[in-house]
Amino acid sequence: MIPMWWLAVIVAIAAVAGAYATWTAARVERLHRRARAAETALIAKLDDRAETVLKFVGNPGFEEVVALALSVVAVPASTQRQRELREYAENDLTHALRELSRNPLWTDDLESANRRVALARQIHTDFVRDAVASRSLRVAVLLRLRHRLPRPEYWDIDDPVQ
């Protein structure tokens, strides 16, 4: 028969292992939620920047940028294909805005919108990096969290502040 203190040790080890597994699973799920929230915030900041550009409708020299902003607003990011199209449109808009930054009509609104996009992009990239790294933790692999949680994706867009 097993001595009683061995049983207590086994129960304690099982409790610690269970607590660690629960904590790790909650951490992985929390990082994935934060990555999704950061992506939502990034899309909102990208939409805000496009709306700021649309204020320049009718100003000479802004025709191409306004058309690009309209194409950005028109493309949702629901599916993978739409997301890729949105990334291309955002990159085109960023390049066009860089060319216009020397224009005297350039405003602080556009500059601050670009800074907010850059900050939201960096925050999103950091959360995605952490979420992707958490998927390879031993406990996450054993609990098959990588199969249950969708893998967060990076947004491949240029940094608007350079």
Side-chain angles (χ1 to χ4, degrees):
M1 182 154 179
I2 299 176
M4 191 58 114
W5 65 273
W6 274 104
L7 186 59
V9 169
I10 291 172
V11 168
I13 290 173
V16 168
Y20 178 71
T22 303
W23 176 80
T24 302
R27 180 172 178 254
V28 171
E29 289 176 353
R30 186 174 55 249
L31 286 170
H32 281 73
R33 267 195 318 272
R34 286 180 179 171
R36 282 192 303 274
E39 181 174 24
T40 303
L42 174 61
I43 291 171
K45 294 305 173 195
L46 291 169
D47 289 344
D48 290 348
R49 178 177 72 166
E51 289 175 16
T52 301
V53 170
L54 291 177
K55 293 177 186 175
F56 290 93
V57 170
N59 286 332
F62 280 83
E63 296 86 8
E64 179 188 359
V65 175
V66 168
L68 288 170
L70 284 172
S71 70
V72 163
V73 173
V75 179
S78 306
T79 65
Q80 184 62 31
R81 180 68 182 141
Q82 289 174 335
R83 182 187 172 116
E84 290 173 6
L85 291 173
R86 178 75 184 253
E87 288 174 355
Y88 291 133
E90 291 294 346
N91 285 331
D92 290 343
L93 180 59
T94 297
H95 291 246
L97 286 173
R98 276 194 199 128
E99 294 296 319
L100 276 179
S101 64
R102 296 172 205 89
N103 190 315
L105 292 177
W106 185 267
T107 65
D108 291 336
D109 290 343
L110 282 172
E111 192 172 324
S112 66
N114 273 337
R115 280 195 308 268
R116 286 191 300 270
V117 166
L119 181 61
R121 183 185 141 297
Q122 183 61 49
I123 290 169
H124 175 261
T125 300
D126 291 346
F127 279 130
V128 169
R129 181 196 62 227
D130 293 344
V132 169
S134 73
R135 295 168 69 86
S136 63
L137 293 172
R138 189 170 290 146
V139 173
V141 172
L142 288 174
L143 295 175
R144 301 179 54 86
L145 293 177
R146 65 174 22 169
H147 299 293
R148 194 167 53 95
L149 297 170
R151 185 181 192 279
E153 298 290 328
Y154 292 99
W155 273 74
D156 187 20
I157 56 175
D158 289 341
D159 191 4
V161 181
Q162 287 186 352

